[in-house]
Amino acid sequence: MKFLHTSDWHLGRQFHNVSLLDDQALILQQLVDYVRHHPVDAVIVAGDIYDRSVPPTQAIQLLNQVVSDLCQSLNTPVIMIPGNHDGAARLGFAAEQMRASGLYIISDFSQMLEPVVLSSEQAGEVAFYGMPYNDPELVRHHFNVTVSTHDEAHQVLCEKIVEQFDKSQCHVLISHCFVDGAIESESERPLSIGGSDRVSHEHFLPFDYVALGHLHKPQYKGEAFIRYSGSLMKYSFSEQHQKKSMTLVELDKTGFVCTTQIELHAAHEMRIIEGNLADILDQAADDPRPEDYLLIRLTDKHAILDPMEKLRQVYPNVLHIEKPGMLIGIDQEMSTQRLKRNEIDMFKDFFQEAKQEPLTREQEQAIATVIADLKKGEE
Amino acid sequence: MKFLHTSDWHLGRQFHNVSLLDDQALILQQLVDYVRHHPVDAVIVAGDIYDRSVPPTQAIQLLNQVVSDLCQSLNTPVIMIPGNHDGAARLGFAAEQMRASGLYIISDFSQMLEPVVLSSEQAGEVAFYGMPYNDPELVRHHFNVTVSTHDEAHQVLCEKIVEQFDKSQCHVLISHCFVDGAIESESERPLSIGGSDRVSHEHFLPFDYVALGHLHKPQYKGEAFIRYSGSLMKYSFSEQHQKKSMTLVELDKTGFVCTTQIELHAAHEMRIIEGNLADILDQAADDPRPEDYLLIRLTDKHAILDPMEKLRQVYPNVLHIEKPGMLIGIDQEMSTQRLKRNEIDMFKDFFQEAKQEPLTREQEQAIATVIADLKKGEE
């Protein structure tokens, strides 16, 4: 039994006011192409399919295309659960009517207890249990149990599922949660404000493989078979050094699991470039990926006229500029005297940029008078 | 071949800030119960399934329940098209994956040209063509034709469908439009602002039956087989005398059509009660339906203190009060002098209501002075 484990597609996400939908479509095309050339028994999406509970129409159309390609054209079952970003009831509309076509959206607790059973020669029957993302309150209310934390809720849900186990089958769990001790990225939204959102990996030990979603960095925790596939693509600059991938899982009758990371390539990577403006502009010509989504961290200590315009001439997708150098300057020398001098300095820089020549002494005197007058007006 | 034609469910509609979802659920239960006791070959919903393109979650859950009852429990195919209130792409997500279970959501032009073919002993094969609601601009763009009105768009779409006809089959069209000459109600949203939204019934003549949606009053136009089922329930007080129903259509091999209205009963009717407050309160005890949603039109000529509170003690679901009697009084006598006298009159009414006794002459004098002072302050 071979299946692909993916998660955290976040279709429809905006990043610094840029829609990532075209990027997401290109990466999902890699997934579809992979399945076309390397058939698998199922594709799993472990939650956060959409970026929000009411996704934009274009995100719905993209998902529609992907499930049509997989379920219809490639005859490959797709199993998904809602994550904390998805609206479970909205995503789960007509889920019952989709199952006959191999699209399994497991969005409520009754569906959770009825596994999707697929079979293959190597692994025999494999039961896929999907645990839709849920707040502890929902678990408490639905099962009438006293749970108040995510960890307690997961314990109850895992026990309920394990009770259903058919010993002749292998068991895969799909869940969207934060396993204690795993590594978070900047682009996840906390599952709980105030309370703890961590769950112990020990609840998952009875399963043969656990396909996790929520954390955006590919990783396993506790056991090698308790695994995050990581997100479809980078969703923050802090993920610049992460490699994004989907996890190919191979499972045999004995419960032996082999996983392989299949790398996914974004049309635009998210990167941070640090340096002074002149150096960055100089070196841009040799940059093999000038179209990437960039955060530029300028180390220049003096004011610069419209750095975004200059940078975008070589890097069209600069999304954000940070000027830590200038911030330090201001923080350290926050006296009226220094500020006054700084304003003249800044004007000098501006003049140099705009006219390509320095201020004369007379001009400097004049501008100092103007600034002093303005200050007086302010007081 | 027997099928039920319904339309304009408008799930999730609010009426005077009251959610109609519970009322809608009760009426849809009548539909499901009817099918349980009188099996049909299909249920049609001719658009405006939801009241808006992004419906509330509870409306989605209700629709989910109804299609599960019909498609799964009762094994009855459901065929629906989006109307002008629905979001076609949103409603049509995974439509391809639902077809195997007998849920057919026809939401784009390619699906329009591939009929849902059902068969029965009496009628042989019947092809159901669904025409998703569309603006003329969309038709122009998609088919690269020069159309600018709804009528021209319908002509093009009907011709495209008729080209697909298999002569051995009967042909049913499902469309959401305004047939010229048909009767509108107050609760429909115009299809076109400024331009004409009317279409000729003549485009529909090649079909054996045309299941229309959009107009909320049950009616036929042009031919008896070109028919509006009307909305699920009343959505404005102006529909108080309409009977709401679904249309049972029976079709035989020769194209002979027999239609029957199956009445639908709302838990709360929408009614207008007209009269003076005292009479209305008096007669309420004999009203067999005090829970109805009511518009009360008060004919009293004098001011009344908090009529809503008094009315709701006998009619808990009064949603709106109109006071045409008082408006006429003000309109007709709009002179400063009259208004001044009116203010005192209104205070007299108020005092009578609040204290259950009339103003004394001294009190009247005092209040006249206060009003005069206030007037002076205003000027």
Side-chain angles (χ1 to χ4, degrees):
Chain A
M1 168 81 51
K2 271 188 194 180
F3 59 90
L4 276 178
H5 163 201
T6 75
S7 79
D8 297 271
W9 291 9
H10 290 278
L11 301 184
R13 189 144 178 151
Q14 298 266 329
F15 186 68
H16 289 264
N17 291 326
V18 171
S19 164
L20 297 178
L21 212 65
D22 290 344
D23 296 85
Q24 293 170 324
L26 278 170
I27 298 174
L28 287 172
Q29 193 53 53
Q30 293 168 36
L31 188 164
V32 170
D33 287 344
Y34 180 88
V35 174
R36 182 172 290 119
H37 296 110
H38 311 85
V40 295
D41 297 294
V43 172
I44 288 174
V45 196
D48 287 358
I49 290 118
Y50 294 124
D51 193 52
R52 52 181 190 270
S53 60
V54 180
T57 307
Q58 293 85 343
I60 294 175
Q61 288 169 320
L62 173 56
L63 184 63
N64 196 41
Q65 186 59 53
V66 172
V67 299
S68 280
D69 287 349
L70 291 172
C71 297
Q72 257 46 50
S73 311
L74 297 171
N75 207 20
T76 305
V78 174
I79 309 173
M80 50 175 81
I81 58 167
N84 59 312
H85 281 247
D86 299 301
R90 214 169 269 281
L91 186 67
F93 171 71
E96 208 50 55
Q97 284 69 47
M98 299 169 191
R99 294 173 80 95
S101 301
L103 177 56
Y104 302 91
I105 301 179
I106 300 169
S107 65
D108 66 33
F109 291 127
S110 67
Q111 294 162 341
M112 179 186 81
L113 295 176
E114 290 168 9
V116 177
V117 180
L118 304 176
S119 57
S120 78
E121 228 172 279
Q122 314 98 298
E125 287 195 343
V126 177
F128 292 85
Y129 289 90
M131 189 187 281
Y133 172 77
N134 49 80
D135 290 322
E137 294 72 41
L138 281 175
V139 177
R140 183 166 63 229
H141 179 76
H142 186 86
F143 291 104
N144 197 21
V145 288
T146 52
V147 301
S148 60
T149 65
H150 281 264
D151 188 54
E152 288 165 353
H154 262 72
Q155 182 171 3
V156 166
L157 296 178
C158 285
E159 282 170 7
K160 299 238 171 247
I161 292 173
V162 170
E163 280 170 19
Q164 310 288 317
F165 272 12
D166 173 341
K167 291 269 168 60
S168 71
Q169 299 174 336
C170 285
H171 307 98
V172 173
L173 177 69
I174 309 163
S175 176
H176 192 88
C177 62
F178 195 146
V179 173
D180 195 27
I183 299 163
E184 56 194 319
S185 304
E186 266 183 23
S187 55
E188 297 125 10
R189 187 167 70 197
L191 301 178
S192 165
I193 305 296
S196 168
D197 53 3
R198 311 303 157 103
V199 306
S200 163
H201 76 274
E202 295 192 1
H203 311 314
F204 301 137
L205 293 176
F207 292 89
D208 296 297
Y209 183 78
V210 183
L212 295 173
H214 181 55
L215 299 182
H216 289 183
K217 178 184 162 70
Q219 59 193 298
Y220 67 88
K221 192 68 211 170
E223 299 283 345
F225 68 84
I226 301 173
R227 193 171 276 271
Y228 286 96
S229 65
S231 57
L232 194 66
M233 57 181 288
K234 297 170 188 179
Y235 289 120
S236 75
F237 286 118
S238 71
E239 290 159 55
Q240 66 168 333
H241 299 303
Q242 290 182 16
K243 276 197 196 310
K244 297 298 185 180
S245 57
M246 47 195 182
T247 307
L248 177 69
V249 184
E250 294 173 87
L251 195 66
D252 76 9
K253 269 196 184 72
T254 67
F256 178 81
V257 173
C258 170
T259 61
T260 316
Q261 297 302 107
I262 314 289
E263 229 175 289
L264 295 168
H265 300 281
H268 309 88
E269 287 292 352
M270 292 185 188
R271 285 193 290 141
I272 303 173
I273 297 181
E274 195 165 327
N276 67 56
L277 183 64
D279 290 349
I280 291 172
L281 295 176
D282 259 7
Q283 289 155 21
D286 299 324
D287 193 323
R289 299 180 57 93
E291 309 275 328
D292 279 354
Y293 295 132
L294 298 178
L295 182 161
I296 304 276
R297 200 169 276 152
L298 290 177
T299 53
D300 303 74
K301 291 278 187 290
H302 63 286
I304 302 163
L305 184 69
D306 204 352
M308 187 59 104
E309 197 197 318
K310 294 192 175 66
L311 284 165
R312 285 214 169 146
Q313 283 175 15
V314 290
Y315 288 121
N317 294 316
V318 174
L319 300 186
H320 191 63
I321 295 177
E322 280 180 12
K323 298 174 187 165
M326 293 208 50
L327 283 174
I328 291 164
I330 290 172
D331 280 354
Q332 286 175 341
E333 313 180 13
M334 192 65 103
S335 72
T336 315
Q337 200 52 38
R338 296 302 267 175
L339 270 180
K340 226 173 246 167
R341 210 173 60 103
N342 274 353
E343 280 147 4
I344 297 171
D345 283 349
M346 281 167 76
F347 188 83
K348 273 190 202 167
D349 292 339
F350 165 76
F351 191 86
Q352 172 74 40
E353 290 265 344
K355 299 282 286 183
Q356 299 295 325
E357 56 186 48
L359 277 182
T360 62
R361 189 172 295 258
E362 290 77 23
Q363 286 168 329
E364 189 174 336
Q365 206 97 49
I367 200 71
T369 314
V370 169
I371 288 172
D373 283 357
L374 285 170
K375 289 266 163 192
K376 224 177 285 167
E378 272 174 24
E379 289 151 15
Chain B
M1 168 79 52
K2 271 189 194 180
F3 59 90
L4 277 178
H5 163 201
T6 75
S7 79
D8 296 271
W9 291 9
H10 290 278
L11 302 184
R13 188 140 176 156
Q14 297 267 328
F15 187 67
H16 290 264
N17 291 326
V18 171
S19 164
L20 297 178
L21 212 66
D22 290 344
D23 297 85
Q24 293 170 325
L26 278 169
I27 298 174
L28 287 172
Q29 193 54 53
Q30 293 167 37
L31 188 164
V32 170
D33 287 344
Y34 180 89
V35 174
R36 182 172 290 118
H37 296 110
H38 310 84
V40 294
D41 297 294
V43 172
I44 288 174
V45 196
D48 287 358
I49 290 117
Y50 294 125
D51 193 52
R52 51 181 190 269
S53 60
V54 180
T57 307
Q58 293 84 345
I60 294 174
Q61 288 170 319
L62 173 56
L63 184 63
N64 196 41
Q65 186 59 52
V66 172
V67 297
S68 280
D69 288 348
L70 291 172
C71 297
Q72 256 47 50
S73 311
L74 298 171
N75 206 21
T76 306
V78 174
I79 310 173
M80 51 175 80
I81 59 167
N84 58 312
H85 281 248
D86 300 301
R90 215 169 269 281
L91 187 66
F93 171 71
E96 207 51 54
Q97 284 69 47
M98 299 169 190
R99 294 174 80 95
S101 301
L103 176 56
Y104 302 91
I105 300 180
I106 300 168
S107 65
D108 67 32
F109 290 127
S110 67
Q111 294 163 341
M112 180 186 81
L113 296 175
E114 290 168 9
V116 177
V117 179
L118 304 176
S119 57
S120 78
E121 229 172 278
Q122 314 97 298
E125 286 194 343
V126 178
F128 292 85
Y129 289 90
M131 189 188 281
Y133 173 76
N134 50 80
D135 290 323
E137 294 71 44
L138 282 175
V139 178
R140 184 165 62 227
H141 180 74
H142 186 86
F143 291 105
N144 198 20
V145 288
T146 52
V147 301
S148 60
T149 64
H150 281 265
D151 188 54
E152 288 166 353
H154 262 73
Q155 182 171 3
V156 167
L157 296 178
C158 285
E159 282 170 8
K160 299 239 172 247
I161 292 173
V162 170
E163 279 170 19
Q164 310 289 316
F165 272 12
D166 174 341
K167 291 270 167 61
S168 71
Q169 300 173 334
C170 284
H171 306 98
V172 173
L173 178 69
I174 309 164
S175 176
H176 192 88
C177 62
F178 195 146
V179 173
D180 195 27
I183 299 162
E184 55 194 320
S185 305
E186 266 183 24
S187 56
E188 296 125 9
R189 187 167 70 196
L191 300 178
S192 165
I193 305 297
S196 169
D197 53 2
R198 311 303 156 102
V199 305
S200 164
H201 76 275
E202 295 192 0
H203 310 314
F204 300 137
L205 294 175
F207 293 88
D208 296 297
Y209 183 79
V210 183
L212 295 173
H214 181 55
L215 299 181
H216 289 183
K217 179 185 162 68
Q219 59 193 299
Y220 66 89
K221 193 67 210 170
E223 299 284 346
F225 67 83
I226 301 173
R227 192 172 276 271
Y228 287 95
S229 64
S231 57
L232 195 67
M233 57 181 288
K234 297 171 188 179
Y235 288 121
S236 74
F237 287 117
S238 70
E239 290 159 56
Q240 66 168 331
H241 300 303
Q242 290 182 16
K243 276 198 197 309
K244 297 298 186 181
S245 57
M246 47 195 181
T247 307
L248 177 70
V249 184
E250 295 172 87
L251 195 66
D252 77 9
K253 269 197 184 73
T254 67
F256 178 81
V257 173
C258 172
T259 61
T260 316
Q261 297 304 106
I262 314 288
E263 229 175 289
L264 295 168
H265 300 282
H268 309 88
E269 287 292 352
M270 293 187 187
R271 283 194 290 142
I272 303 173
I273 298 181
E274 195 166 326
N276 67 55
L277 182 65
D279 290 351
I280 291 172
L281 294 175
D282 259 7
Q283 289 155 21
D286 300 325
D287 194 323
R289 300 181 57 94
E291 309 274 327
D292 280 354
Y293 295 133
L294 298 179
L295 182 162
I296 305 276
R297 200 169 276 151
L298 290 177
T299 53
D300 304 74
K301 291 279 187 290
H302 62 287
I304 302 163
L305 184 68
D306 204 352
M308 187 61 103
E309 197 198 317
K310 295 193 176 66
L311 284 164
R312 284 214 169 144
Q313 284 175 15
V314 290
Y315 288 121
N317 293 316
V318 174
L319 300 186
H320 191 63
I321 295 177
E322 279 180 13
K323 297 174 186 164
M326 293 207 51
L327 283 174
I328 291 164
I330 290 172
D331 280 353
Q332 285 175 342
E333 314 180 12
M334 192 65 106
S335 71
T336 315
Q337 199 53 36
R338 295 303 267 175
L339 269 179
K340 227 173 245 169
R341 212 172 59 103
N342 273 354
E343 281 147 4
I344 297 171
D345 283 349
M346 283 167 76
F347 187 83
K348 273 189 202 168
D349 293 340
F350 164 75
F351 191 86
Q352 171 73 40
E353 291 264 345
K355 300 282 284 184
Q356 299 294 324
E357 55 186 49
L359 278 181
T360 62
R361 188 172 294 260
E362 291 76 24
Q363 285 168 330
E364 188 174 336
Q365 206 97 50
I367 200 71
T369 314
V370 170
I371 289 172
D373 284 357
L374 285 170
K375 290 265 163 192
K376 224 177 285 167
E378 272 174 23
E379 288 152 15

